[in-house]
Amino acid sequence: VIVAVSENAIQRQLLTILNPIFTGLIISFIISGVFLYIISYQITKPIRFLARATDALLEGNYSMNIDTKNSKDELNDLLRKFSKLTYSLASEKQKNQTLNNSLENKVKARTTELEQTLHQLEKSQFLTRSVINSSLDPVIAIDADGIVIEWSNSAVDTFGYEKTEGKSKSLSEHIIPKR
């Protein structure tokens, strides 16, 4: 028995069978895509949070609240460790700030002390030079090596050397006569 069927009839029959199949496949792909997007979004959520928290840390913000869940997965373990690191960094920053403030206060106090000591030294040197230069007797001061470090006005008159000539030379060069 041979049945003659037109080609159009076969195509219509195939389309009626294939249309629901193709529609089902397209809907399945759409649903799978949405499902995969939601799953990947949930999986990468802690990683995105860590990226934002790291950016905040780099900007000096140590007050980010890191919610660590009680689950035992690797991402939450990473979040817990990151939270501990953030707390540790904030604590060390506070310690450094306290030490820095203390050091600055000590430097200010020491600087003030040194300025006062320098002022007293300058005052003492001025007084000493005034006494030496107003003395009627010649005054010559030498260091441990015998080099003249101070030469009074009376010493200029007595020995005939100007102050600039008298200083920085050995006392023996000025006083002991040459033979």
Side-chain angles (χ1 to χ4, degrees):
V1 177
I2 297 179
V3 178
V5 180
S6 73
E7 195 175 309
N8 284 339
I10 295 174
Q11 284 179 351
R12 276 188 297 231
Q13 286 271 332
L14 280 174
L15 284 176
T16 57
I17 295 171
L18 292 177
N19 270 344
I21 293 173
F22 285 137
T23 305
L25 283 173
I26 290 172
I27 292 173
S28 295
F29 282 134
I30 291 172
I31 291 173
S32 297
V34 170
F35 184 69
L36 287 174
Y37 175 77
I38 292 171
I39 289 175
S40 67
Y41 182 81
Q42 290 299 319
I43 289 173
T44 59
K45 190 175 182 180
I47 295 170
R48 288 191 314 276
F49 174 78
L50 280 175
R52 286 191 309 274
T54 302
D55 289 340
L57 279 177
L58 290 173
E59 293 172 3
N61 179 5
Y62 296 96
S63 62
M64 288 210 55
N65 185 17
I66 300 173
D67 183 27
T68 56
K69 299 174 185 170
N70 290 329
S71 64
K72 299 290 183 189
D73 67 355
E74 293 84 5
L75 287 176
N76 281 314
D77 187 41
L78 182 62
L79 279 174
R80 280 189 291 279
K81 289 178 181 177
F82 190 82
S83 178
K84 287 179 183 178
L85 175 67
T86 302
Y87 176 78
S88 178
L89 285 173
S91 175
E92 289 301 317
K93 181 181 179 186
Q94 182 61 38
K95 287 178 188 175
N96 285 341
Q97 187 64 41
T98 301
L99 290 172
N100 189 40
N101 291 341
S102 173
L103 185 59
E104 283 182 9
N105 290 336
K106 287 178 182 179
V107 166
K108 285 178 186 176
R110 184 69 176 136
T111 301
T112 302
E113 181 184 323
L114 288 173
E115 287 172 347
Q116 291 171 349
T117 302
L118 179 63
H119 179 69
Q120 290 172 349
L121 178 63
E122 289 170 344
K123 191 175 174 183
S124 175
Q125 286 177 334
F126 176 76
L127 182 61
T128 302
R129 282 196 186 99
S130 296
V131 168
I132 289 173
N133 286 329
S134 65
S135 171
L136 297 176
D137 293 325
V139 176
I140 301 170
I142 60 171
D143 64 10
D145 297 324
I147 304 297
V148 176
I149 56 172
E150 202 59 57
W151 191 266
S152 72
N153 292 335
S154 294
V156 170
D157 296 337
T158 303
F159 296 106
Y161 295 106
E162 291 299 320
K163 283 189 177 191
T164 54
E165 291 177 291
K167 287 184 180 180
S168 303
K169 292 183 181 176
S170 171
L171 180 62
S172 62
E173 293 177 36
H174 297 299
I175 296 179
I176 299 175
K178 294 180 183 173
R179 293 184 187 196

